[in-house]
């Protein structure tokens, strides 16, 4: 029986993951690691016959100032004394410093690391990949080095291609700001998975009816594209905030952005149904990202300070990266190649603002010259 | 030639209209009258061969403290000395105190008065109705006395039925907060009209590419339903704000509300396409109403104070009415009759909060027991 248990491996990236895993109000955290760790550890306790109860988490080793190793402290003291003393870690979460060791035998791979580390991690995992393994990516964003002008390689597709080319890779996206989930405030998310059985398994790992509702849909590419494209719209929304314009204008920008998101998704894959945009990964994630979110914040500062967006990224984000600009350049290249720039005026003007020195203050003049 | 000119009559309601027509930052205004007056007066100047340049506006007469009549002051001094001294009124806007006189010969009737006055106004207009007249309603909300349990009479339908039963009635809805439009900040709106020629005419009256973009769609009932149903969702959004929950939860509420809006619209009319919800009357109006808006504000106060929503309406709104509760009771009656309450948990819980003493603080417990 025990060899039929699903074995879970969370592929985070060392300290990045640890920082994110432990959340309080004081730490500016990304949703990803937190949710993966907290939810999976809690949820699988109810399914002892289905899941190996030890969740392995890949941690990049670090020596603490007192000479102890971070992984040891996590596993022995069940506490991260460096980043958040006093918070008890879940007992069934095991920090593993070797990715090979963590991923070996795992049948469920949860990718929660920044996209720039995906390639290297996959090269390692590939060596020990279990034939029955399935993966889910919680990574929003796009690796702009990985697309040609005509085609677009999403992170879920990159994972699939880097592993064995046939592993089923699902995605989880939605309106998920970290500290609110950590406080167990009601949230929703969308899991996109082409295989229904796998989809139900992933839902079991993440779904919690009282505070984290998962909707499962039979679509991967569209779900992931939404998680990428909304960051472009958030930059435009931040520009509107920087211009001190009101909610009519901001709602118009969000609406125009949603329409371009839908148009771009359906250009990439005509099978993507309008249904998708009514999911958490669609409209809900767009709303939160345009109201909160770092792309919005930096774009607002861009208007107020007149500085370059990448200088602000360095100044304001403590090493975190903006996902809007690389998404904008990706869309711009594809739309230009297809001679469809006129169908994406909002995406285009964000590209122009980020990369071509277009004055953000003129964003509405640019849009007024287009039909929506 | 001159007898072929379209003649415009704005059917506002006396001082209510005048208050709204003149906007500054200091006045808490509703979008309706302002936009109608400002935009039409400006826009028709460019189409002298198509529109009679005098826009008649029905004004309820009032004697000012100095003994002068309001209509005289408007027409002679071109200024509303009572409500907003110092603001020049458009020269081609003529205040008319007799509705019969204002509506006589008019071929384009613009309804901008509170819905409780629609019936009486229509009875008067009917006597002088021009056979070629068309109407547009800018009135959001619903008259809950005018629906049976199974059928639903929208305001555009009420106008049609009260006039001659065959007049073409369009609607204008969208994300339109008054003072932002008055400042000419970029906004959008949706005109729903079944007759394409008439639709283009209405668009000409309202469209201004630099700050007020009109999208014309071939659907009336759905456009008007969106303008009504979003107020229910705004009450739920206000409750979430009152509970100090974050943007994940609020985005989830807006998403669930949008899905119920779509479900209710398509229940009322299976021809309503998903397209509708991507328009300004759909997603954009929902966003602004859930972020600003008086329904949201009063619902937030409801949680914070524990008072009854109708007591708060009296205390907080200076005689303005909440549109969420009557919409909620309308939806509740229809859904209950059709045994479909389970399909509308968010609409239902808002009804329960407003009318049945359900504790707003338990809103998420209620929703958690339903599938979305």
């Amino acid at each position: 029986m025990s060899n039929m248990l699903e074995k879970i491996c969370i592929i985070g990236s060392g300290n990045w993951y640890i920082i994110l895993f432990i959340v309080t109000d004081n730490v500016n955290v990304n949703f990803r690691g937190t949710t993966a760790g907290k939810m999976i550890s809690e949820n699988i306790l109810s399914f002892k016959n289905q899941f190996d109860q030890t969740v392995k988490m890949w941690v990049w080793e670090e020596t603490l100032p007192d000479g102890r190793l971070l992984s040891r402290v996590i596993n022995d003291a069940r506490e991260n004394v460096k980043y958040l003393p006093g918070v008890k870690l879940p007992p069934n979460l095991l920090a593993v410093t070797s990715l090979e060791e963590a991923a070996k035998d795992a049948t469920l791979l949860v990718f929660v690391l920044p996209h720039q580390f995906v390639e290297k991690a996959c090269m390692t995992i590939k060596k020990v990949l279990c034939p029955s393994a399935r993966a889910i990516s919680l990574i929003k964003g796009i690796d702009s080095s990985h697309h040609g002008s005509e085609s677009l390689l999403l992170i879920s597709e990159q994972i699939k291609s880097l592993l064995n080319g046939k592993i089923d890779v699902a995605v989880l996206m939605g309106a998920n700001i970290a500290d609110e989930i950590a406080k167990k405030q009601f949230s929703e998310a969308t899991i996109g998975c082409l295989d229904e059985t796998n989809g139900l398994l992933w839902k079991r790992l993440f779904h919690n009816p009282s505070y984290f509702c998962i909707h499962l849909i039979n679509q991967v590419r569209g779900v992931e594209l939404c998680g990428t494209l909304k960051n472009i719209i958030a930059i435009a929304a931040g520009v509107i905030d920087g211009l001190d314009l009101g909610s009519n204008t901001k709602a118009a920008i969000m609406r125009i952005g949603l329409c371009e998101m839908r148009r771009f998704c359906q250009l990439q894959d005509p099978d993507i149904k309008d249904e998708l945009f009514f999911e958490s990964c669609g409209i809900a994630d767009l709303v939160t990202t345009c109201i909160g979110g770092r792309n919005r914040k930096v774009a607002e500062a861009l208007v107020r300070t007149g500085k370059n967006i990448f200088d602000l990224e360095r100044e304001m984000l403590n090493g975190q990266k903006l996902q809007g600009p690389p998404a904008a350049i990706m869309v711009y290249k594809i739309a230009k190649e297809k001679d469809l720039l006129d169908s994406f005026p909002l995406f285009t003007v964000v590209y122009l603002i980020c990369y071509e020195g277009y004055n953000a203050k003129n964003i509405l003049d640019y849009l007024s010259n287009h039909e929506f």
Side-chain angles (χ1 to χ4, degrees), chain A:
Chain A
M1 182 70 188
S2 78
N3 62 350
M4 294 174 62
L5 292 178
E6 302 282 359
K7 290 187 169 60
I8 302 165
C9 172
I10 298 181
I11 301 144
S13 175
N15 301 348
W16 175 84
Y17 184 76
I18 293 299
I19 296 168
L20 299 191
F21 180 77
I22 305 152
V23 177
T24 63
D25 300 356
N26 307 321
V27 184
N28 179 16
V29 288
N30 187 301
F31 145 73
R32 298 294 145 217
T34 317
T35 314
K38 289 191 85 130
M39 290 185 173
I40 294 173
S41 303
E42 286 168 12
N43 287 351
I44 63 167
L45 295 173
S46 309
F47 303 102
K48 293 201 164 61
N49 292 330
Q50 188 172 19
F51 301 101
D52 187 321
Q53 294 294 300
T54 300
V55 176
K56 290 186 183 170
M57 176 176 72
W58 176 45
V59 170
W60 193 272
E61 191 61 290
E62 182 178 351
T63 305
L64 299 173
D66 63 6
R68 293 185 297 170
L69 294 171
L70 182 61
S71 64
R72 286 281 181 78
V73 178
I74 292 172
N75 291 336
D76 298 344
R78 318 242 31 100
E79 185 181 350
N80 187 324
V81 290
K82 177 164 180 186
Y83 295 105
L84 201 72
V87 172
K88 213 71 186 163
L89 292 176
N92 53 336
L93 187 75
L94 182 71
V96 177
T97 56
S98 152
L99 177 55
E100 251 181 87
E101 186 60 31
K104 194 180 59 165
D105 301 329
T107 58
L108 298 173
L109 301 166
V110 180
F111 282 84
V112 293
L113 74 180
H115 63 71
Q116 56 268 37
F117 303 128
V118 166
E119 187 163 354
K120 202 157 174 225
C122 284
M123 302 312 279
T124 303
I125 296 167
K126 190 180 181 179
K127 298 182 208 157
V128 296
L129 187 68
C130 183
S132 67
R134 289 134 288 169
I136 191 166
S137 166
L138 281 65
I139 307 164
K140 288 181 189 174
I142 185 144
D143 186 350
S144 54
S145 66
H146 275 278
H147 62 88
S149 54
E150 276 277 0
S151 73
L152 169 65
L153 192 68
L154 296 172
I155 289 165
S156 64
E157 294 163 341
Q158 194 190 354
I159 291 170
K160 181 173 184 163
S161 135
L162 288 167
L163 293 178
N164 58 14
K166 56 188 184 181
I167 183 171
D168 183 55
V169 186
V171 293
L172 184 150
M173 303 278 147
N176 316 117
I177 288 178
D179 59 348
E180 298 175 18
I181 295 177
K183 291 183 211 157
K184 302 204 174 182
Q185 293 184 0
F186 184 81
S187 299
E188 297 184 311
T190 310
I191 288 182
C193 188
L194 295 178
D195 181 293
E196 198 188 341
T197 308
N198 292 342
L200 290 169
L201 199 64
W202 293 122
K203 181 170 179 176
R204 184 159 280 186
L205 251 63
F206 290 97
H207 183 71
N208 186 314
S210 71
Y211 76 101
F212 198 66
C213 281
I214 298 289
H215 290 211
L216 185 58
I217 69 168
N218 181 36
Q219 164 65 241
V220 176
R221 201 170 168 79
V223 174
E224 192 169 357
L225 271 172
C226 285
T228 298
L229 298 172
K230 53 134 202 187
N231 292 313
I232 310 177
I233 305 165
I235 291 195
V239 168
I240 298 303
D241 288 344
L243 293 168
D244 289 319
L245 296 172
S247 62
N248 290 357
T249 311
K250 196 158 168 186
I253 290 295
M254 289 162 71
R255 189 198 76 79
I256 293 166
L258 180 67
C259 291
E260 292 191 15
M261 180 191 270
R262 175 183 178 221
R263 202 173 296 136
F264 190 83
C265 283
Q266 292 174 346
L267 182 70
Q268 286 289 313
D269 182 352
D271 287 339
I272 292 175
K273 308 242 175 357
D274 284 345
E275 198 66 33
L276 173 69
F277 307 99
F278 291 88
E279 295 294 335
S280 182
C281 65
I283 181 61
D285 199 9
L286 178 63
V287 167
T288 38
T289 307
C290 288
I291 292 174
R294 57 180 186 256
N295 288 280
R296 191 216 62 79
K297 188 172 79 172
V298 172
E300 180 179 352
L302 177 147
V303 177
R304 298 205 190 278
T305 65
K307 291 182 183 174
N308 176 286
I309 195 163
F310 300 105
D311 293 337
L312 290 166
E313 180 182 42
R314 273 185 295 276
E315 288 173 26
M316 296 173 71
L317 297 184
N318 280 321
Q320 283 192 306
K321 288 286 176 193
L322 287 176
Q323 295 168 324
I329 202 169
M330 173 274 287
V331 168
Y332 177 80
K333 282 185 188 172
I334 292 172
K336 193 178 179 197
E337 177 78 29
K338 293 184 190 290
D339 202 16
L340 286 173
L341 283 181
D342 275 348
S343 300
F344 301 99
L346 189 134
F347 288 171
T348 301
V349 75
V350 169
Y351 162 79
L352 294 173
I353 289 168
C354 296
Y355 294 99
E356 304 282 354
Y358 188 87
N359 189 339
K361 292 183 179 172
N362 299 330
I363 189 170
L364 291 171
D365 295 335
Y366 189 91
L367 294 175
S368 294
N369 289 319
H370 290 79
E371 275 288 325
F372 305 114

